[in-house]
């Protein structure tokens, strides 16, 4: 396989050489070298450079469609040859929401790789909305998302349950149980738009006749780890996070749970694929996850 095509596709997606180098674990000069080699070989300019930004040229846009098709062909060829020899192997591109990627997926992948040591994983992490978008763009084969939304064009399979709890700094002297009215004045730290966690909170509040806009939102952060760190350094803030994410903090008395009357924040973790038949590698992973 021509690795330069993978480099080009990564740069074309991010429109950023630095992000592509991080995704592919090679240096930024190596990224530039591969792009220049492709441009020289095919006699076209693939990117327009405008100050600190880049954009695909007309030739680059056409090149991208072929590059994706060629890379997909390589993957299909490798999988087919492995199946003929009875050796299940290849590369599986998995996308996962941040909570799942940090707190559930490492153990799952470790057990899967034990059974299928010839399968390599490439991970993409983002919020649930970003994971589903990556599926649409064929950047991943399968996604693991949180929240209860279901969208046309996708197939969803439940694989785990989760509960969101409200936590605060362990030194916060607030009582252990509060009403929704009391909640509305407390400074909340929430996840960003597109997060499955935020979606569940919005839906549960709506069921009780409350809007998120009526809450006292202090700030929004892009990761649960960032939220936990903020709470540990701020005694007066509150956040809703997965119970799986705060096990150690609760045991070590760094955070504490506050019960909110009238709302239960349960949700499903779901495996999501594009509708239609999946290749053997994806099917193996789905079967393993659903029968773990």
């Amino acid at each position: 396989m021509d690795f330069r095509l993978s480099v080009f596709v990564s740069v074309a997606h991010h429109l950023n050489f630095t992000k592509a180098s991080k995704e592919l674990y090679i240096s930024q000069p190596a990224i530039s070298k591969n792009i220049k080699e492709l441009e020289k070989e095919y006699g076209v300019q693939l990117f327009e450079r405008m100050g600190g930004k880049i954009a695909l040229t007309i030739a680059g846009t056409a090149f991208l469609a072929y590059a994706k098709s060629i890379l997909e062909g390589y993957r299909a060829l490798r999988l087919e040859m492995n199946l003929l020899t009875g050796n299940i192997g290849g590369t599986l591109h998995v996308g996962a929401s941040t909570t799942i990627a940090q707190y559930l997926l490492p153990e799952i992948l470790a057990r899967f790789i034990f059974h299928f040591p010839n399968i390599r994983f490439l991970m993409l992490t983002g919020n649930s909305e970003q994971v589903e978008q990556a599926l649409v763009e064929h950047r991943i084969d399968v996604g693991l998302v949180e929240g209860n939304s279901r969208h046309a064009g996708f197939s969803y399979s439940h694989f785990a349950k989760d509960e969101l709890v409200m936590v605060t700094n362990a030194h916060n002297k607030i009582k252990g149980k509060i009403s929704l009215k009391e909640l509305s004045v407390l400074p909340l730290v929430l996840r960003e738009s597109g997060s499955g966690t935020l979606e569940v909170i919005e839906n549960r509040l709506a069921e009780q006749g409350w809007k998120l806009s009526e809450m006292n939102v202090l700030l929004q952060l892009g990761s649960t780890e960032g939220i936990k760190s903020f709470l540990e350094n701020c005694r007066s803030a509150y956040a809703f996070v997965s119970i799986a994410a705060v096990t150690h903090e609760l045991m070590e008395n760094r955070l504490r749970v506050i019960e909110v009357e009238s709302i239960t924040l349960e949700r499903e973790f779901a495996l999501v694929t594009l509708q239609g038949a999946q290749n053997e590698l994806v099917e193996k992973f789905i079967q393993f996850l659903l029968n773990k």
Side-chain angles (χ1 to χ4, degrees), residues 109-122:
L109 292 185
R111 288 189 285 110
F112 185 82
I113 291 171
F114 177 80
H115 291 285
F116 304 99
N118 294 319
I119 294 178
R120 178 179 176 231
F121 283 89
L122 288 179

Side-chain angles (χ1 to χ4, degrees), residues 31-66:
I31 294 284
S32 300
K33 178 176 179 290
N34 279 278
I35 296 299
K36 288 177 181 177
E37 286 179 357
L38 286 175
E39 290 180 326
K40 182 178 180 181
E41 180 174 339
Y42 291 94
V44 295
Q45 183 180 347
L46 298 172
F47 295 99
E48 291 180 313
R49 294 157 179 84
M50 302 170 289
K53 298 181 179 180
I54 63 172
L56 283 167
T57 62
I58 294 175
T61 301
F63 196 93
L64 179 60
Y66 281 102

Side-chain angles (χ1 to χ4, degrees), residues 184-239:
S184 67
V185 300
L186 298 179
L188 290 177
V189 183
L190 299 175
R191 286 289 304 276
E192 79 289 359
S193 296
S195 159
T197 297
L198 186 63
E199 175 204 346
V200 172
I201 295 169
E202 286 183 298
N203 290 342
R204 293 298 181 271
L205 287 175
E207 289 171 2
Q208 298 298 321
W210 289 80
K211 296 179 181 178
L212 197 58
S213 58
E214 297 175 291
M215 298 292 119
N216 178 21
V217 179
L218 182 63
L219 76 161
Q220 291 180 264
L221 294 174
S223 74
T224 300
E225 288 299 310
I227 290 175
K228 291 193 299 181
S229 179
F230 183 88
L231 293 183
E232 288 189 39
N233 289 279
C234 177
R235 296 190 178 189
S236 59
Y238 304 79

Side-chain angles (χ1 to χ4, degrees), residues 61-90:
T61 301
F63 196 93
L64 179 60
Y66 281 102
K68 286 182 175 179
S69 178
I70 291 167
L71 290 174
E72 182 59 36
Y74 274 123
R75 289 172 59 192
L77 173 62
R78 186 180 298 108
L79 177 59
E80 189 66 25
M81 294 303 100
N82 286 332
L83 291 175
L84 287 174
T85 60
N87 178 28
I88 300 297

